[in-house]
Amino acid sequence: MLALLALPLVAAQLVPQQTYTPPGAAAGNTPSTGTPNAQWSAVLGNALWFYDGQRSGRLDAGAYPNRVAWRQDSAVNDGETVGLDLSGGWYDAGDWIKATYPLGITMWALSWSAMSYGPGFEAANQTAYMDSTLRWGYDWLMKAHPTDDTLYVQCGSSEHDGGNGYWGPDDGLPRNRPCYAVNASYPGTDAWASTAGAFAMGSLAYQGTQWNTSATAWGPVPLANASYAQQLLKHGETLYRVAKENDKASFTDSLKDIGRAYVPSSYGDDLCTAALALAAATNDSTYYAEAYGHYTNYSLTGSGAVWNWDSRIPAAYVMFAELAAARPGLAAGAGLDANLTGWQSEVEGWIERSIAGEGGRTYLTHAGLIFWAGDSDEGSLNPAMAFAALLLRYAPLASSTERATRYRDFAATQIDYLMGKNPMNVPYIVGQHPNSPAAPHVVRGSGLTDQSNLREPPTNKETLYGAVPGGPRPSDLFWSWRDDWVQNEVALDYNANLPALAAYQLITGASDPYYVGVTAGYSIPKGEPCDAALPCENGLSGGAIAGIVIGCLVAIVLAGVAVWLYRRHKRKG
Ligand SMILES: *[C@@H]1O[C@H](CO)[C@@H](O)[C@H](O)[C@H]1NC(C)=O
């Protein structure tokens, strides 16, 4: 006993018991034997390895050893133009930009999975890697929030180092990258609130408490660290207060120079989800009352929206339902009814409308991938995987076992599609299977230096294991062409729900992912993809053609109504 007490203090951060190294694409046809399932463990391990591959700054900063041998330090001087150290964090997608707004949903989703699927991460020995992934993101977000109202929303710019500027190895990235901040004079309600929500969720993950959303709730990833949880919470509370008290505006309207890569459509959803997460993290009913206020003031009810980087309404619905189950006292303290039944119908209304394609917001491809019209056209897998993750999260709270089963079954169809049950026989995770996309649109590891010729060779020099690319076209066809960023680009938010999906399979003892039985062999489809990256010769993308078809249909219906009204009028007359 005394000897135990004499042991040195535990390290600040978890250290992996076993180093995880991706098994390689060739292993994708090897059936698993035993428990935990080796293939799902590899999906989870690779999903987190991807984030290491996206690192910016000094790769071995402090307690976070680099696992990606072919990466080098880059952008180590970020922030010097504004007198700050803004190095670190991750590149947002295939280029060199660090972007705070979409990082918000990424951190939200990762933290949410850490709160709920602990045994899955534990089984795959990924707890320490989840810790380092979360800390890599949050440590940078804290740097990006140096004073109450100042939040850096972007480092790098498409003119300067992405876009037409620089496509080459890490160590050649130009210095003096610009960094852009919102503040009280240049407000960014969406960026402030989104980041506040992310911080609050991180605080919940590091509080390490049981998230009792249902009788079948699993435990959190064991990350409990009260001081880190408190640090994150402080940033979250400050940012939310700043978002509430300052002029309301989108950061993209306040900062005209940053380019138009991510233009949020609204900030009501950001305010609502931030207040909800803060309510949970503080147990303070005032936040709950405000969340409910945002929900009513911004008319968030009855939505058919996608859950993605821009749109957090579906996450708000599920979070309201989870709070009704896990923390009913929050509503009571605000003089409101926790109202699980009401939130069940809000969530289930959204799910049922989405699956049924009501209102033309969604449709299923021939092979069954759910598409949100517009949102899925520039990255089809992300909305479908986010939907699957929300279905699996919510199913234990469903109003009937029939619905719970149907939601889990629908999620399984989306996951199977991702894992290779699709007309291309492609498992859409880089480095997972011989048919996996091998030319992801990502400068790092591509081995290329000429941006005007990105199509060849058909395989990147290095493998960015675990990356989920944009995904196939509405036709289910997939062109593995690096220059087609619509289908092939990688992004932090594209991967954000994959850890939850894999951890869930590990917890529930699922059999091998679909790709294990997929025969090796992929070929580029005939014809042209006709998307925003590679429009067809007539100049119309698939989305534009769909728009014209819908426009014509609407015109025909309107003409029909006019004729009917005219005849009715005549009859009456
Ligand atoms: C908790 O996190 C803080 C901040 O990162 C760190 O300094 C501390 O050592 C951690 N404590 C433990 C027990 O891991």
Side-chain angles (χ1 to χ4, degrees):
M1 199 60 199
L2 278 176
L4 269 179
L5 289 174
L7 281 174
L9 286 173
V10 286
Q13 197 196 340
L14 298 173
V15 177
Q17 299 301 304
Q18 282 165 256
T19 308
Y20 173 79
T21 311
N29 279 128
T30 310
S32 310
T33 52
T35 318
N37 183 288
Q39 290 292 352
W40 284 113
S41 297
V43 172
L44 179 54
N46 289 357
L48 295 181
W49 197 92
F50 159 78
Y51 287 95
D52 285 16
Q54 291 289 102
R55 284 183 179 187
S56 178
R58 295 196 194 287
L59 301 181
D60 272 320
Y64 313 101
N66 173 37
R67 292 189 282 168
V68 184
W70 46 266
R71 284 296 319 283
Q72 292 156 316
D73 293 353
S74 60
V76 297
N77 300 301
D78 270 8
E80 67 179 340
T81 53
V82 291
L84 290 171
D85 172 14
L86 296 174
S87 66
W90 290 299
Y91 297 113
D92 165 66
D95 56 17
W96 298 103
I97 288 172
K98 300 196 292 198
T100 302
Y101 184 73
L103 185 55
I105 200 70
T106 298
M107 300 313 290
W108 175 291
L110 289 173
S111 293
W112 217 358
S113 54
M115 285 155 60
S116 316
Y117 297 126
F121 289 85
E122 286 279 89
N125 275 318
Q126 290 296 325
T127 293
Y129 291 119
M130 188 57 164
D131 187 30
S132 66
T133 304
L134 290 171
R135 281 172 178 262
W136 193 270
Y138 283 121
D139 285 356
W140 184 77
L141 280 176
M142 287 194 276
K143 284 184 175 183
H145 181 216
T147 69
D148 285 8
D149 62 326
T150 308
L151 177 67
Y152 281 86
V153 294
Q154 188 170 306
C155 282
S157 75
S158 50
E159 291 73 33
H160 183 75
D161 50 30
N164 302 314
Y166 179 69
W167 187 283
D170 299 1
D171 53 6
L173 184 63
R175 202 169 158 165
N176 294 323
R177 285 156 41 95
C179 290
Y180 308 88
V182 291
N183 56 38
S185 313
Y186 296 91
T189 314
D190 36 21
W192 281 326
S194 157
T195 312
F199 274 125
M201 292 298 276
S203 179
L204 276 165
Y206 279 92
Q207 286 173 17
T209 46
Q210 173 75 28
W211 189 237
N212 270 324
T213 52
S214 75
T216 58
W218 296 292
V221 180
L223 301 173
N225 179 318
S227 71
Y228 198 58
Q230 188 54 37
Q231 247 181 300
L232 298 177
L233 185 58
K234 200 162 164 289
H235 282 276
E237 292 200 88
T238 306
L239 280 167
Y240 174 72
R241 182 173 50 74
V242 166
K244 224 175 51 173
E245 290 175 355
N246 283 281
D247 290 346
K248 304 277 185 296
S250 169
F251 73 99
T252 52
D253 288 330
S254 295
L255 306 174
K256 301 288 187 202
D257 293 344
I258 59 171
R260 310 291 284 171
Y262 291 99
V263 181
S265 46
S266 60
Y267 44 73
D269 53 340
D270 299 304
L271 287 166
C272 180
T273 45
L276 273 175
L278 284 167
T282 57
N283 252 328
D284 182 344
S285 291
T286 317
Y287 284 121
Y288 186 91
E290 292 185 8
Y292 191 76
H294 296 311
Y295 163 80
T296 45
N297 294 343
Y298 292 101
S299 310
L300 302 186
T301 189
S303 170
V306 65
W307 184 37
N308 71 358
W309 65 271
D310 176 25
S311 157
R312 290 110 201 265
I313 295 175
Y317 293 170
V318 173
M319 194 65 166
F320 269 119
E322 292 194 350
L323 287 185
R327 308 276 174 87
L330 280 171
L336 292 160
D337 183 354
N339 196 7
L340 180 58
T341 320
W343 293 114
Q344 282 170 326
S345 42
E346 185 76 282
V347 179
E348 293 173 21
W350 173 73
I351 295 174
E352 299 292 334
R353 283 191 296 279
S354 301
I355 293 179
E358 231 172 76
R361 288 289 285 123
T362 55
Y363 60 93
L364 298 186
T365 66
H366 186 69
L369 187 68
I370 189 164
F371 258 66
W372 265 263
D375 298 294
S376 300
D377 295 323
E378 293 186 8
S380 56
L381 293 167
N382 174 48
M385 294 314 125
F387 188 52
L390 270 193
L391 289 176
L392 294 179
R393 275 201 84 78
Y394 175 74
L397 286 171
S399 61
S400 72
T401 47
E402 181 274 327
R403 287 195 163 187
T405 306
R406 205 150 45 76
Y407 298 164
R408 290 190 180 103
D409 289 350
F410 191 85
T413 64
Q414 303 304 297
I415 296 165
D416 281 349
Y417 189 108
L418 179 81
M419 295 294 165
K421 192 172 185 182
N422 58 60
M424 304 305 298
N425 295 320
V426 168
Y428 289 106
I429 303 178
V430 172
Q432 205 74 37
H433 178 276
N435 295 4
S436 292
H441 179 99
V442 53
V443 51
R444 292 162 296 279
S446 67
L448 301 184
T449 52
D450 178 5
Q451 202 177 181
S452 65
N453 179 21
L454 290 184
R455 184 151 321 163
E456 298 295 338
T459 301
N460 285 15
K461 182 159 176 266
E462 309 291 353
T463 307
L464 184 56
Y465 290 104
V468 176
R473 304 293 303 137
S475 55
D476 294 301
L477 298 178
F478 177 74
W479 282 259
S480 179
W481 283 343
R482 195 181 296 98
D483 54 332
D484 190 331
W485 55 264
V486 168
Q487 298 177 84
N488 292 281
E489 189 158 8
V490 306
L492 301 178
D493 60 315
Y494 288 180
N495 263 63
N497 282 296
L498 188 56
L501 297 177
Y504 178 90
Q505 310 299 324
L506 286 162
I507 292 175
T508 55
S511 53
D512 273 339
Y514 188 85
Y515 63 71
V516 174
V518 171
T519 313
Y522 159 80
S523 45
I524 304 272
K526 290 196 188 7
E528 298 283 325
C530 301
D531 56 27
L534 299 172
C536 280
E537 267 176 18
N538 62 12
L540 295 178
S541 67
I545 292 168
I548 291 169
V549 170
I550 290 169
C552 291
L553 287 175
V554 167
I556 290 168
V557 169
L558 286 178
V561 169
V563 168
W564 177 77
L565 282 174
Y566 174 73
R567 287 195 182 144
R568 192 157 161 265
H569 180 74
K570 264 183 49 176
R571 263 207 309 277
K572 274 196 183 157

